[in-house]
Amino acid sequence: MAEAAEILGVAQATLRIWAEDGKIPMHRNPANGYRLFRRADLERFLEEVAKPLKPR
């Protein structure tokens, strides 16, 4: 969680909210319930939010 938040440049609480809202795919470790994120999913999210908005 901490590493994923650092990659995105946000607080862990923000990442938790985004994951719970389904904005970033999250997986749970079955042994301890920790939230896990794939680096490719984080990079895809960063690319998506970096796109300029389309004019109206």
Side-chain angles (χ1 to χ4, degrees):
M1 185 85 175
E3 184 179 351
E6 186 175 334
I7 289 169
L8 294 176
V10 299
Q12 290 183 39
T14 300
L15 178 56
R16 187 177 307 111
I17 291 167
W18 288 349
E20 290 172 0
D21 288 347
K23 295 178 182 178
I24 299 175
M26 175 188 68
H27 310 279
R28 291 263 186 188
N29 182 323
N32 56 23
Y34 287 177
R35 293 171 181 89
L36 304 173
F37 301 90
R38 292 187 175 113
R39 184 175 292 271
D41 291 335
L42 299 175
E43 291 170 355
R44 194 173 308 116
F45 179 78
L46 284 175
E47 288 174 9
E48 188 62 34
V49 297
K51 289 181 183 176
L53 296 174
K54 295 179 182 178
R56 294 181 185 198

